[in-house]
Amino acid sequence: MNGTVALVTGGSRGIGAATAVRLAREGADVALTYVRDKDAADDVAGRIRALGRRALALRADSADADEASAAVERAAEGLGELDVLVNNAGVGLLGPIESLSLADIDRVLAVNVRGVFLASRAAAARMGPGGRIITIGTCMTQRVPGPGGTLYATGKSALVGLTKALARELGERGITANIVHPGPIDTDMNPADGPYAAGQVALTAVGRFGTADEVASAVAYLAGAEAAYVTGAEFSVDGGHAA
Ligand code: NDP
């Protein structure tokens, strides 16, 4: 990926941070967004620079329509035209449907759906041949293992439709669009020692949580030249959660 430019949304922690560093290791210059934790974002940018790549940490809230689009422009202005967009920023909110307020619904869909749509729109307007749009979905689009997932599964399932439609729309321009579905991955959002961890482990075939690096590895494959014929695909990194 030498000479390419990538933007990873929500790149200051967890899967996004692992992905940003992995893409840099593959040779990309990487911009990453964050909202709350500037120090963590700067730390990831520092790790990318230590690999000899350029890095840009951008404060950009995916819940804000203008900021979600502008992150793509700002990344391109800072590092050069975008080759890879990784739509990773996301929020989780589980609970019975009757407990979800309108504000909950709007907030989750703004980050998990609208922000992804707007960043993808901005990227599609600029990307040239070889472009890659990779979105982080969830194993819950394939199997909802219990109650409490209505809002999260609704939003993330919309990204499957977006991905397939983007693949059709951008394919002839040499741009691919794919979605990666992580299973339970040990991050701040879903710690492997959290209260719901044991139940999630029991749902996997391999009997453990996955790591952010294991998801980043799949993203790196999809971002690379070898994956030029892979588009519109749902790519599970879920320890067999959907099996
Ligand atoms: P974390 O909560 O550990 O990290 C979230 C990252 O996103 C942080 O860098 C955070 O930055 C950033 N972020 C949060 N809200 C926004 C926002 N509104 N705009 C921009 N950036 C934001 O999450 P994970 O790494 O676990 O999850 C990453 C993705 O993977 C999400 O889309 C999630 O839904 C998905 N996923 C995760 C699974 C898991 O088990 N962990 C399983 C399946 C899917 P900051 O702190 O600075 O705000």
Side-chain angles (χ1 to χ4, degrees):
M1 295 182 67
N2 284 344
T4 63
V5 173
L7 168 63
V8 180
T9 66
S12 57
R13 290 182 287 118
I15 293 169
T19 299
V21 172
R22 175 63 192 262
L23 294 180
R25 199 162 277 139
E26 300 293 328
D29 295 326
V30 184
L32 54 108
T33 67
Y34 69 96
V35 182
R36 282 162 290 271
D37 198 341
K38 180 177 188 313
D39 288 346
D42 286 342
D43 180 64
V44 175
R47 289 164 60 197
I48 292 167
R49 290 189 194 106
L51 292 166
R53 304 298 162 196
R54 293 180 303 150
L56 200 58
L58 302 168
R59 191 188 178 286
D61 186 351
S62 294
D64 181 292
D66 292 335
E67 291 184 24
S69 290
V72 172
E73 325 298 335
R74 291 165 68 198
E77 278 161 22
L79 295 178
E81 210 49 80
L82 213 62
D83 301 287
V84 179
L85 169 65
V86 183
N87 289 308
N88 166 78
V91 288
L93 180 62
L94 302 178
I97 191 166
E98 60 272 22
S99 73
L100 301 169
S101 68
L102 189 57
D104 291 334
I105 297 165
D106 285 346
R107 184 171 59 87
V108 171
L109 296 183
V111 177
N112 290 7
V113 182
R114 190 181 64 180
V116 174
F117 195 100
L118 292 172
S120 300
R121 185 181 69 171
R126 310 182 64 114
M127 270 181 179
R132 302 277 189 268
I133 298 176
I134 301 158
T135 297
I136 306 299
T138 170
C139 58
M140 281 179 63
T141 62
Q142 300 179 310
R143 180 187 183 204
V144 180
T150 53
L151 180 53
Y152 189 66
T154 297
K156 288 289 188 178
S157 296
L159 303 180
V160 174
L162 172 63
T163 298
K164 292 183 180 200
L166 279 174
R168 287 285 176 194
E169 200 158 308
L170 304 178
E172 289 193 358
R173 286 170 49 195
I175 299 169
T176 66
N178 293 289
I179 187 161
V180 174
H181 293 315
I185 304 297
D186 184 17
T187 65
D188 293 343
M189 181 189 280
N190 188 12
D193 59 0
Y196 308 109
Q200 294 179 73
V201 166
L203 289 162
T204 68
V206 302
R208 67 168 176 86
F209 263 57
T211 67
D213 285 338
E214 287 175 315
V215 180
S217 170
V219 175
Y221 163 67
L222 293 169
E226 281 179 318
Y229 200 58
V230 181
T231 195
E234 297 181 66
F235 201 106
S236 292
V237 184
D238 68 354
H241 186 278

